[in-house]
Amino acid sequence: MIVVGGEALIDLVPVERPPGALLPRPGGGPYNTALALGRLGAEVAFCSRVSADGFGESLLAGLRAAGVDLSLVQRGPEPTTLAVPSLAPDGSASYGFYVEGTADRLFALPPALPDSVRALALGTCSLVLEPGASAYEALLRRESRRGLLTLLDPNIRPALIADPAAYRTRFLERLLPYASVLKLSEEDAAWLGGRASDWLAAGPSAVVLTRGAAGLTVWTREGAEHSVPARRVAVADTIGAGDTVNAALLHRLSGAPHRPADWPDVLAYAAHAAALTCTRAGAEPPYAAELTR
């Protein structure tokens, strides 16, 4: 089983008609990753704290429909986090957030994960918003020490980071040493500073960089570098594309965690899955059957 930890929220996506209207859509990087894993056919559980309000119920219904295990989900009476994406002409998105007093940031460290768990993924707002951020950090450290494959996706949201210098230090010194794989976008890399060699030296065995229309690149601790191009598609928007990459990486890497990864194959699979997500409005990752056509 793969466990994905982090926030589930509602994206208020702008629509053309009526002018100024916002369409609520399920979202949050970890939520999208868990949803994508379920659709790809992986055995996956979501580990978070979700509101008992109507939005929270709809979020869980979406995961349940994808076959995601919800036994690790904590519930709370606080409201659901809201995100408002703004879309650029190329379909890329930036975000504003409503996070004060919301349920997901009150996540508490759960008991040890079941023995059947072979991988853990964490990222996005859950690494920033306290007190939940410290609980997720403790979860990462504990499960990494017992040998799980761990994937970290910082998915930087600058609007949520009050002290960038402190976050960068925490990322490098307290999170990266416990990550097996670091996945980040070019925007994340520019904000964090440093190079792949710096991040590899901090702990991960591989760094995967998403480069938008230029594709994907991985650097490994052994000194290998592999790149694959992006698939050419008609882009509706890029919401959820990076999260789909997370899911595809986890799905392929966790199947044989003790064998060397076939990185060209893994990256090509991730690029295909992400491209299909980009053809749809909002975070709508593909199903396994769509990647075999």
Side-chain angles (χ1 to χ4, degrees), residues 233-280:
V233 294
V235 176
D237 63 49
T238 63
I239 297 173
D243 309 321
T244 302
V245 169
N246 291 342
L249 294 175
L250 287 163
H251 192 34
R252 284 295 170 95
L253 295 174
S254 63
H258 302 298
R259 291 208 306 263
D262 181 355
W263 279 111
D265 175 74
V266 171
L267 294 184
Y269 180 72
H272 189 185
L276 291 175
T277 302
C278 290
T279 64
R280 303 155 180 171

Side-chain angles (χ1 to χ4, degrees), residues 45-164:
F46 189 53
C47 185
S48 183
R49 191 169 190 272
V50 176
S51 175
D53 65 13
F55 282 144
E57 292 297 331
S58 69
L59 287 163
L60 294 186
L63 292 176
R64 197 176 292 114
V68 178
D69 185 327
L70 302 179
S71 60
L72 296 175
V73 172
Q74 306 164 19
R75 303 300 300 274
E78 303 82 13
T80 297
T81 293
L82 303 178
V84 183
S86 299
L87 301 179
D90 64 356
S92 61
S94 57
Y95 294 83
F97 294 90
Y98 297 86
V99 298
E100 291 303 319
T102 52
D104 56 272
R105 68 185 301 173
L106 299 179
F107 172 79
L109 178 66
L113 299 180
D115 290 340
S116 60
V117 175
R118 60 185 188 271
L120 170 69
L122 297 174
T124 317
C125 307
S126 57
L127 302 178
V128 177
L129 299 173
E130 295 288 7
S134 290
Y136 284 114
E137 179 183 326
L139 177 63
L140 174 67
R141 291 184 177 213
R142 187 185 71 194
E143 301 302 327
S144 173
R145 287 186 180 118
R146 73 181 182 103
L148 264 62
L149 170 71
T150 53
L151 183 144
L152 189 65
D153 175 17
N155 204 3
I156 300 297
R157 304 299 186 217
L160 293 178
I161 301 174
D163 187 339

Side-chain angles (χ1 to χ4, degrees), residues 12 37 39 45 52 82 141 152 159 171 173 194 214 237 255 259 261 283-284 287:
L12 298 177
L37 277 163
R39 290 185 177 185
L82 303 178
R141 291 184 177 213
L152 189 65
F171 171 77
E173 298 180 1
D237 63 49
R259 291 208 306 263
E284 287 292 344
Y287 291 86

Side-chain angles (χ1 to χ4, degrees), residues 10-27:
I10 293 294
D11 284 328
L12 298 177
V13 181
V15 294
E16 291 184 3
R17 297 181 181 278
L22 298 172
L23 176 66
R25 298 291 295 268

Side-chain angles (χ1 to χ4, degrees), residues 194-202 207 219:
R195 299 172 297 175
S197 58
D198 300 325
W199 302 318
L200 288 168
V207 173
W219 295 268

Side-chain angles (χ1 to χ4, degrees), residues 30-46:
Y31 177 92
N32 295 337
T33 298
L35 181 73
L37 277 163
R39 290 185 177 185
L40 291 175
E43 185 181 3
V44 55
F46 189 53

